[in-house]
Amino acid sequence: DIQMTQSPSSLSASVGDRVTITCRASQGISNYLAWYQQKPGKVPKLLISAASTLQSGVPSRFSGSGSGTDFTLTISSLQPEDVATYYCQKYNSAPFTFGPGTKVDIK
Amino acid sequence: EVQLVESGGGLVQPGGSLRLSCTASGFTFGIYAMSWVRQAPGKGLEWVSTITNSGGSTYYADSLKGRFTISRDTSKNTVYLQLNSLRAEDAALYYCARELSALGCLDPWGQGTLVTVSS
């Protein structure tokens, strides 16, 4: 099965900073990659599908890129409401594995 | 408004069984695949199972080793997850989620139902 990794596992940044999270698949998955945001105590929310398609209502400071095995989620200007754990997920075929998550805090 | 409401969680002894339900509203249930995802306390998300819109195909995480079964009843707008031979490591918040536009890509999610496995 394809394994998903994320880096870093956690980060602390200042409001307004540019934040980048990396997700890597152990084999190519084309662009079948989703990013989810889970705020503390809340239900996960889909931010980005197909590696780079921003979901309706998601702020434009979020963006995704990549294809094949390497993907990134970028927050162009970190806001206090972005404190959350971010997960990538492959969905090219089952099993639809999640990455281990990246916890983002405000410094 | 799309809504997914899970139920059926609770406290069960090791080796016991539970059936989780997820009732959908606000969309045409029969045209969407549905999935279950779990999250152990303080841990990450773990995909558990997916069933296609027709129910004709089902998929499971390898780690479950045949102990869980997903099914759906379109007449009741409900997807089920039968959990058998439960172990301590199955304790988690179990979320139901709808397919977005491709199998496995999930949006939205329900609030979850908590399964506790303890003697």
Side-chain angles (χ1 to χ4, degrees):
Chain A
D1 290 345
I2 296 173
Q3 305 303 312
M4 305 299 292
T5 57
Q6 288 182 234
S7 61
S9 56
S10 64
L11 66 90
S12 187
S14 299
V15 172
D17 281 355
R18 183 181 184 88
V19 168
T20 299
I21 299 169
T22 297
C23 175
R24 180 163 290 168
S26 60
Q27 298 175 41
I29 59 171
S30 184
N31 69 335
Y32 291 93
L33 192 283
W35 288 99
Y36 299 87
Q37 175 193 62
Q38 186 177 32
K39 295 183 178 181
K42 300 298 185 182
V43 175
K45 172 187 172 183
L46 178 67
L47 293 180
I48 288 170
S49 62
S52 61
T53 301
L54 201 66
Q55 297 308 296
S56 175
V58 175
S60 59
R61 63 180 178 274
F62 290 92
S63 63
S65 64
S67 183
T69 60
D70 295 315
F71 303 87
T72 59
L73 172 69
T74 300
I75 308 173
S76 61
S77 177
L78 187 67
Q79 299 302 305
E81 59 265 33
D82 301 334
V83 169
T85 301
Y86 294 85
Y87 297 91
C88 62
Q89 183 212 17
K90 64 170 277 292
Y91 60 95
N92 61 314
S93 63
F96 304 120
T97 309
F98 288 89
T102 296
K103 186 175 182 180
V104 175
D105 283 329
I106 299 292
K107 191 182 296 182
Chain B
E1 178 192 5
V2 173
Q3 278 200 310
L4 300 171
V5 179
E6 302 95 333
S7 60
L11 173 64
V12 61
Q13 293 186 339
S17 296
L18 276 178
R19 189 176 81 158
L20 308 183
S21 300
C22 170
T23 300
S25 61
F27 64 98
T28 305
F29 181 74
I31 65 172
Y32 287 92
M34 300 294 294
S35 295
W36 289 93
V37 175
R38 70 183 181 182
Q39 186 169 35
K43 303 297 184 182
L45 301 174
E46 180 184 15
W47 172 77
V48 171
S49 182
T50 294
I51 186 167
T52 55
N53 60 329
S54 66
S57 294
T58 56
Y59 306 89
Y60 298 94
D62 292 342
S63 61
L64 301 180
K65 296 182 180 178
R67 296 183 298 118
F68 292 4
T69 303
I70 193 170
S71 62
R72 64 190 296 160
D73 184 339
T74 301
S75 69
K76 295 182 179 179
N77 281 6
T78 299
V79 59
Y80 304 98
L81 187 68
Q82 178 70 39
L83 286 60
N84 295 331
S85 304
L86 283 162
R87 307 166 179 169
E89 57 265 33
D90 295 317
L93 187 61
Y94 284 73
Y95 294 104
C96 165
R98 189 191 74 175
E99 167 196 62
L100 175 64
S101 57
L103 199 64
C105 184
L106 306 174
D107 182 67
W109 298 48
Q111 294 296 314
T113 187
L114 185 64
V115 172
T116 304
V117 183
S118 175
S119 55

